[in-house]
Amino acid sequence: MSTSDRLVEATRELLWERGYVGTSPKAIQQQAGAGQGSMYHHFAGKPDLALAAIRRTAEEMRTTAARSLDGPGSAYERISGYLLRERDVLRGCPVGRLTMDPDIVASDELRAPVDETLAWLRGRLAAIVQEGLDGGEFDGALVPEEIASAVVATVQGGYVLARASGSTDAFDAAVRGLLALLAPRTR
């Protein structure tokens, strides 16, 4: 792995664990096994490196979500696959947690990949719900964009509930509840 990649990966991990303020250039260099000169050779500074790390995290989240959402199966099965996929619930979402960081949210540049990724996810979910509506799988009263937002909110809120309780039970209950509400209608 190149020095640049090691710096980005170290920053990704530290942003997830500590947030932007808690991620110092020195901590990044130590975790990456890179010197200060190497860091500033590849990146203009901490904001530039953080942006590269956030973009990579966002790209990884899209790729992971797409494996479930773009796979085979009915609309319900694909949404269910996304909701039930294995995740490190107690660590939370590496993208969603960035929205709790005041320095990320205050920066249009750092916030943009987070917003774009969550918007992509809502859009992809809405398209799948629309497929389910078009195929008669879902109740015609569902509004795809609202259901998509509810799915994303359930996952992100489930992470918060799980972290608060120190148990995945609340996350799992939220997912089961949403899936029960979305269950395809019988013909």
Side-chain angles (χ1 to χ4, degrees), residues 37-126:
S38 293
M39 182 173 153
Y40 291 104
H41 171 76
H42 294 287
F43 300 96
K46 179 180 165 182
D48 185 40
L49 180 51
L51 182 59
I54 293 167
R55 284 183 176 150
R56 188 172 296 172
T57 297
E59 180 182 314
E60 185 178 279
M61 180 179 163
R62 286 182 192 203
T63 300
T64 301
R67 277 197 285 276
S68 301
L69 298 174
D70 297 342
S74 68
Y76 179 82
E77 289 167 343
R78 289 182 287 151
I79 292 170
S80 177
Y82 167 74
L83 288 168
L84 295 171
R85 75 173 171 77
E86 190 172 322
R87 28 172 75 85
D88 192 351
V89 172
L90 294 178
R91 281 192 81 193
C93 175
V95 172
R97 283 189 62 181
L98 295 171
T99 66
M100 300 299 179
D101 192 310
D103 293 298
I104 302 271
V105 173
S107 166
D108 291 342
E109 189 174 33
L110 294 176
R111 188 182 64 249
V114 174
D115 184 39
E116 290 162 6
T117 298
L118 294 173
W120 171 86
L121 182 58
R122 287 190 315 271
R124 189 66 196 103
L125 287 162

Side-chain angles (χ1 to χ4, degrees), residues 1-17 19-20 23-35 38-60 91 94 98 104 110 113:
M1 183 181 299
S2 72
T3 301
S4 175
D5 283 336
R6 287 195 329 267
L7 287 163
V8 170
E9 289 305 312
T11 304
R12 289 179 62 201
E13 189 65 30
L14 290 167
L15 286 173
W16 195 4
E17 288 175 13
Y20 186 80
T23 300
S24 69
K26 184 174 184 170
I28 294 167
Q29 293 160 21
Q30 287 175 338
Q31 183 141 337
S38 293
M39 182 173 153
Y40 291 104
H41 171 76
H42 294 287
F43 300 96
K46 179 180 165 182
D48 185 40
L49 180 51
L51 182 59
I54 293 167
R55 284 183 176 150
R56 188 172 296 172
T57 297
E59 180 182 314
E60 185 178 279
R91 281 192 81 193
L98 295 171
I104 302 271
L110 294 176

Side-chain angles (χ1 to χ4, degrees), residues 139-184:
D139 183 296
L142 296 182
V143 177
E145 294 77 14
E146 292 174 0
I147 298 304
S149 289
V151 170
V152 173
T154 298
V155 171
Q156 295 302 320
Y159 283 131
V160 170
L161 295 173
R163 286 176 56 84
S165 68
S167 167
T168 61
D169 293 346
F171 181 95
D172 296 340
V175 166
R176 284 193 310 271
L178 181 59
L179 288 173
L181 291 171
L182 287 177

